[in-house]
Amino acid sequence: MPELPEVETVRRQLHPWLVGRRITRARRVEAPPGPKYLNLERAAGQRILDVTRRGKFLILPLDGGDELIVHLGMTGAISPTKDGDHLRVELHLDGPAPRRLYFDDVRRFGRFLVVPSGRYEVLPTLRGMGPEPLGEGFTLEAFAAAMGRSRMPTKAWIMSQRPVAGVGNIYADEALWRARINPKTLANRVSRRRLGELRGAIVDILSAAIEAKGTTFSSFRDVEGHAGAFVGQLCVYGRGGEPCLRCGQQLKSEVVGQRTTTYCARCQRLVG
């Protein structure tokens, strides 16, 4: 599933293309009506004021007082060219070419919603999201307070989006390995020193992944159709059974918080 670096890559590519353009038509294509495509047609006639991001969500403020919220799901791809076999959304735009935005989504988990500005009742994850990891609000004090409130496994709590926004399976594994924290250690049992290391690892890894335009294992492509290049920098994710790059111990792979998790049992000792 695309995480913060992949969504931020898409945001940066969409911003110069979409800001100031008016949506002349918005339609679902082979996408059933319902909460995943709520009020989409209402975007027609409104101008796009900005392309922002909150966690893994793209948020496009519109001049009619609404926001177009986009979530790529597991396999969603946005492009100015129609080249997929699983088209779900098509937006028509005014101005110079390209004048179409296409959303292709094989697994159908993506979302295109139009809601009144700031009204996120239909998106509980977005409403309860923690600070942006690359923003000023992601301080050690705030992070430690949020982690101390949970007895969930550290990885599961981070991926809940509540202590920090945008971190999913790939970058959680990487950050926990770098900070030497076992993903199964309860969040409120992690020492403040380790939390400082984890916070720093999250910031550094996400920044590097954005620079590489994300990570692609199978489906992620940016707006220009390119794969993310960060896959060559991964230390643990997807390497279960291979030697740890730090100590040589065979990496373990098991399910934590309903997600496949890879870690080093020697470097990342379980606390408690």
Side-chain angles (χ1 to χ4, degrees):
M1 180 179 292
E3 302 179 29
L4 186 152
E6 292 75 46
V7 178
E8 177 62 18
T9 296
V10 171
R11 187 202 70 79
R12 294 182 180 188
Q13 293 173 334
L14 289 178
H15 190 275
W17 171 36
L18 293 182
V19 172
R21 306 284 290 270
R22 189 174 299 280
I23 301 171
T24 59
R25 186 184 182 194
R27 71 186 189 101
R28 296 186 299 266
V29 182
E30 295 186 2
K36 289 185 179 179
Y37 299 95
L38 184 68
N39 299 326
L40 180 60
E41 294 79 5
R42 202 164 80 193
Q46 299 195 59
R47 191 176 299 280
I48 299 170
L49 300 176
D50 200 355
V51 180
T52 66
R53 178 193 52 75
R54 185 73 173 99
K56 304 176 191 179
F57 291 85
L58 292 169
I59 301 179
L60 284 64
L62 306 175
D63 69 352
D66 289 328
E67 291 177 336
L68 172 59
I69 301 176
V70 178
H71 193 280
L72 300 178
M74 295 182 69
T75 57
I78 295 174
S79 173
T81 58
K82 185 179 178 181
D83 57 3
D85 297 326
H86 304 277
L87 186 63
R88 308 300 176 201
V89 172
E90 178 180 297
L91 299 184
H92 295 221
L93 307 165
D94 69 358
R99 299 179 64 179
R100 298 286 188 277
L101 182 149
Y102 299 100
F103 178 63
D104 194 83
D105 186 16
V106 176
R107 296 289 298 275
R108 296 175 178 260
F109 290 113
R111 296 182 178 186
F112 261 70
L113 314 175
V114 176
V115 302
S117 180
R119 297 289 299 274
Y120 303 141
E121 287 81 358
V122 296
L123 295 166
T125 299
L126 190 54
R127 290 174 61 198
M129 196 172 287
E132 288 291 321
L134 304 181
E136 294 181 357
F138 187 46
T139 63
L140 177 56
E141 289 71 22
F143 188 46
M147 294 294 285
R149 288 194 291 267
S150 176
R151 288 182 54 82
M152 292 174 62
T154 296
K155 181 180 178 180
W157 181 233
I158 290 174
M159 289 181 58
S160 75
Q161 306 299 295
R162 283 172 278 181
V164 60
V167 181
N169 206 28
I170 296 173
Y171 303 109
D173 274 5
E174 294 297 307
L176 289 167
W177 179 81
R178 187 175 294 191
R180 297 175 180 259
I181 298 172
N182 190 291
K184 297 183 290 184
T185 296
L186 301 184
N188 64 356
R189 297 296 301 273
V190 181
S191 70
R192 188 177 179 86
R193 179 173 67 87
R194 290 289 188 210
L195 286 177
E197 293 173 357
L198 178 58
R199 178 192 169 277
I202 289 172
V203 171
D204 291 346
I205 289 168
L206 293 180
S207 298
I210 291 171
E211 184 68 23
K213 296 186 176 180
T215 302
T216 298
F217 273 94
S218 57
S219 61
F220 173 71
R221 295 293 185 275
D222 64 19
V223 176
E224 298 171 353
H226 301 141
F230 192 70
V231 64
Q233 301 182 51
L234 297 176
C235 294
V236 285
Y237 183 84
R239 296 188 61 245
E242 299 180 29
C244 173
L245 297 179
R246 188 162 48 208
C247 74
Q249 174 91 353
Q250 186 181 65
L251 295 173
K252 298 186 66 174
S253 187
E254 58 185 273
V255 176
V256 177
Q258 299 182 327
R259 301 300 298 272
T260 300
T261 299
T262 305
Y263 66 100
C264 176
R266 177 183 292 169
C267 290
Q268 299 167 262
R269 296 192 180 278
L270 182 64
V271 175

